[in-house]
Amino acid sequence: MLGRLLGNAGAVSGEAIQRDFGRLLADNEQVYAGFKVIRDTWIFTDRRLILVDVQGMTGRKKEYLSIPYSKITMYSVETTGTFDLDAELKLWIGSNPQPIEKKFNKSVDVYAVQGLLTQFVK
């Protein structure tokens, strides 16, 4: 599965994740995959999902949201359509009724992202 993910145009290499986000990782935390979503990045590790939200015009401001897989209660994937060219992923965290929503352009294989969630969310 990892080979399929690395063939994805939106995939980010493990080396790039270590270079750009290594300070976010705990000792011995293993990165499984990363996806570039416009300016944002999603990082799947063996412990959690890290969402990097790039903000502002210059992109210097960033929010890092760390979500333990055990806190993801539900997720949904909406694929692209004839007129809607973006796929959408929704994550429900804990008892919060409002999901985190992210749109993916066609460079990201939303099925690969969903596959990782299926693998890690228990």
Side-chain angles (χ1 to χ4, degrees), residues 20-31:
D20 298 338
F21 307 109
R23 296 185 319 184
L24 298 174
L25 302 174
D27 290 340
N28 300 319
E29 187 170 10
Q30 184 177 2
V31 173

Side-chain angles (χ1 to χ4, degrees), residues 42-51 65-77 89-102 104 113-122:
W42 286 43
I43 303 168
F44 288 85
T45 77
D46 59 335
R47 301 176 189 182
R48 59 195 166 134
L49 172 60
I50 303 169
L51 304 181
L65 179 62
S66 177
I67 306 168
Y69 295 118
S70 63
K71 298 300 179 187
I72 300 174
T73 57
M74 183 170 51
Y75 57 91
S76 73
V77 173
L89 177 71
K90 295 178 184 175
L91 295 173
W92 283 266
I93 310 301
S95 61
N96 189 347
Q98 293 299 110
I100 294 173
E101 299 182 40
K102 289 289 183 180
F104 293 85
V113 175
Q114 185 269 338
L116 282 167
L117 285 168
T118 299
Q119 180 180 346
F120 289 120
V121 174
K122 307 284 186 230

Side-chain angles (χ1 to χ4, degrees), residues 77-88 103-106 110-111:
V77 173
E78 182 179 299
T79 60
T80 59
T82 303
F83 299 107
D84 184 7
L85 301 178
D86 293 327
E88 187 173 319
K103 289 189 182 278
F104 293 85
N105 63 25
K106 63 182 176 180
V110 73
Y111 292 106

